[in-house]
Amino acid sequence: MRISGLAASLILTALALSGAGADGEAGKFDFYLLALSWSPTYCQSQGDRANRLQCDSVKPKAFVVHGLWPQYTSGYPAYCRTYIPDFVPRSLTDTILDLMPSPGLVGGQWRKHGTCSGLSQSEYLEKTRQAYERIDIPDGFEDATRRQVLSARDVEQAFVAVNPGLSANGIAVSCKKGRVAEVRICLTRSLEFRRCENVDRKGCRASRLVMPSDD
């Protein structure tokens, strides 16, 4: 029996959502990548599609946690098969909304990355908090109402300067349309700083980037 292109696409989508398209084995990875998103860049780039909980906050948000991602030395696992449900209950998402300001973001990160950590949902969210608390945010990057123009290297050096043990080849800046989008920091499984040349090589090298303000 022939299957139409649309039917085949629907079948593949269903398989992916059911976990049949999972890539990687839970708990088997080399290190973590903590992704910190510059909230004003996200809010401005998404416009009307932006998450209102994050972008309409009374107190403008600066760096927020995009996710904590298990990594291989080259590449990363995603959507790993696990006995733990995909759905993250609100009782758990509420515990981390101060860092990840959207239940949808928390759930999406669990499904794609958390399932590969080998941890339970609560353990993964606690690990994410511990990773965030491992990082000192430079003073100049804590104010979301302040617009800055600087290079990707400037951003990296600012983080390196206030985080002893963090080196230039253990951090990468992600940029989007001339704006700072994310800072990504490599951590061991025990959340110590480590080198990650493959991540560093893929980082933004722009000499002029805007860190937009939330106004």
Side-chain angles (χ1 to χ4, degrees):
M1 179 179 69
R2 294 186 63 185
I3 301 176
S4 70
L6 176 59
S9 176
L10 291 173
I11 290 171
L12 290 173
T13 299
L15 288 172
L17 291 174
S18 69
D23 178 20
E25 186 174 344
K28 292 192 175 182
F29 61 96
D30 298 313
F31 65 97
Y32 285 113
L33 185 64
L34 176 67
L36 302 175
S37 173
W38 182 246
S39 187
T41 294
Y42 161 79
C43 294
Q44 291 183 20
S45 64
Q46 294 298 306
D48 293 340
R49 297 172 296 168
N51 180 270
R52 302 329 322 163
L53 185 62
Q54 175 175 344
C55 299
D56 289 346
S57 175
V58 174
K59 182 181 179 181
K61 298 184 182 301
F63 276 110
V64 299
V65 175
H66 181 175
L68 182 67
W69 306 337
Q71 301 283 296
Y72 300 135
T73 301
S74 179
Y76 62 91
Y79 299 106
C80 294
R81 295 181 179 89
T82 176
Y83 68 91
I84 302 172
D86 283 346
F87 176 74
V88 181
R90 191 61 188 260
S91 60
L92 283 180
T93 62
D94 283 351
T95 66
I96 201 166
L97 289 181
D98 57 320
L99 304 183
M100 303 176 71
S102 163
L105 173 61
V106 177
Q109 290 299 298
W110 163 255
R111 288 186 288 276
K112 184 173 182 179
H113 300 288
T115 53
C116 298
S117 67
L119 303 173
S120 68
Q121 291 180 348
S122 61
E123 290 170 337
Y124 174 69
L125 296 182
E126 178 58 26
K127 195 78 168 183
T128 300
R129 181 174 295 280
Q130 291 171 357
Y132 176 81
E133 292 177 348
R134 179 75 175 83
I135 309 301
D136 283 331
I137 305 295
D139 289 342
F141 300 154
E142 293 182 328
D143 184 359
T145 65
R146 178 186 176 193
R147 181 182 185 275
Q148 300 185 67
V149 179
L150 64 182
S151 68
R153 185 179 180 186
D154 290 336
V155 177
E156 290 186 4
Q157 289 182 332
F159 273 87
V160 169
V162 298
N163 287 280
L166 177 61
S167 62
N169 53 21
I171 182 173
V173 172
S174 168
C175 55
K176 183 176 184 179
K177 295 183 178 179
R179 293 178 288 193
V180 174
E182 291 189 345
V183 171
R184 298 172 177 175
I185 299 173
C186 298
L187 300 166
T188 66
R189 293 179 62 136
S190 58
L191 304 183
E192 299 298 321
F193 295 122
R194 59 155 285 163
R195 300 163 61 100
C196 50
E197 284 80 1
N198 283 342
V199 173
D200 181 50
R201 276 195 293 270
K202 296 176 183 177
C204 178
R205 296 287 187 267
S207 59
R208 186 183 187 280
L209 289 171
V210 173
M211 289 187 74
S213 61
D214 189 273
D215 56 14

